[in-house]
Amino acid sequence: MSAVINALLEQARRHAKDHDGRAGKAFALVLENDAFNVEARTFLARAALQAGKPSLAFEHLDIAARVSPDNAALWRSLGLAHIALGQWPEAQSALERCLRLAPKMHAARLHLGKVLERQGEHSAAMKAYLQALSEAQRNGLWLDAESTPQWLMD
């Protein structure tokens, strides 16, 4: 990676860490210099999902997943983009790939349960929900308020 890209990434990371609104522009500048930068695409995809722009998020994640096909977090995010787009079979495929790469990504299994439920596969959905909960708890997670992510308690 070039020194220019590294400097741009450092600046973008600082803005993101400080929750500075300039982070999006900084990561976009990274992409102007390196169109396949996974970190920049991932940041911009998350921002797009939060802004209610799942198609834009999908575009970023699709490219990032082709560059880094063994990145489980990318596949989880791609699954979330498909969920936001109402593309249930595609979401299922992305989340299943995520779980093959990272079986302990319990939140991805919860999302898979949601996808299965939306597709009318209630028995498989219940299994996914229970598996996510039991595996997380075996790993010391989701036992109390301290070990449970805020988004699960909301």
Side-chain angles (χ1 to χ4, degrees):
M1 195 175 310
S2 77
V4 171
I5 302 275
N6 280 332
L8 291 171
L9 276 171
E10 282 304 314
Q11 181 182 31
R13 289 176 189 138
R14 277 194 305 278
H15 289 311
K17 182 181 175 190
D18 295 339
H19 303 287
D20 184 330
R22 295 178 289 180
K25 289 181 181 178
F27 279 112
L29 186 57
V30 170
L31 288 185
E32 287 179 21
N33 290 275
D34 178 4
F36 298 104
N37 186 281
V38 172
E39 182 179 354
R41 290 212 174 265
T42 302
F43 180 89
L44 293 170
R46 266 192 251 119
L49 276 175
Q50 290 173 349
K53 299 176 181 177
S55 294
L56 179 58
F58 172 79
E59 288 175 31
H60 285 300
L61 292 166
D62 185 51
I63 292 168
R66 282 189 261 137
V67 172
S68 186
D70 293 331
N71 184 325
L74 283 175
W75 288 101
R76 185 202 61 225
S77 296
L78 200 50
L80 294 176
H82 283 299
I83 288 170
L85 291 165
Q87 299 170 339
W88 308 115
E90 294 86 350
Q92 180 178 346
S93 178
L95 291 167
E96 287 172 345
R97 183 156 180 182
C98 166
L99 290 165
R100 280 193 301 278
L101 293 167
K104 291 186 178 184
M105 200 173 278
H106 312 300
R109 197 169 308 282
L110 282 180
H111 293 301
L112 177 60
K114 175 183 180 177
V115 167
L116 292 167
E117 189 174 354
R118 292 289 174 99
Q119 294 181 99
E121 298 179 39
H122 300 288
S123 181
M126 183 63 70
K127 181 181 174 187
Y129 290 138
L130 290 174
Q131 186 177 358
L133 181 60
S134 63
E135 287 177 1
Q137 289 182 335
R138 269 196 302 274
N139 288 291
L141 303 171
W142 305 354
L143 297 169
D144 54 27
E146 285 185 24
S147 64
T148 304
Q150 186 63 42
W151 66 268
L152 277 177
M153 296 190 300
D154 292 339

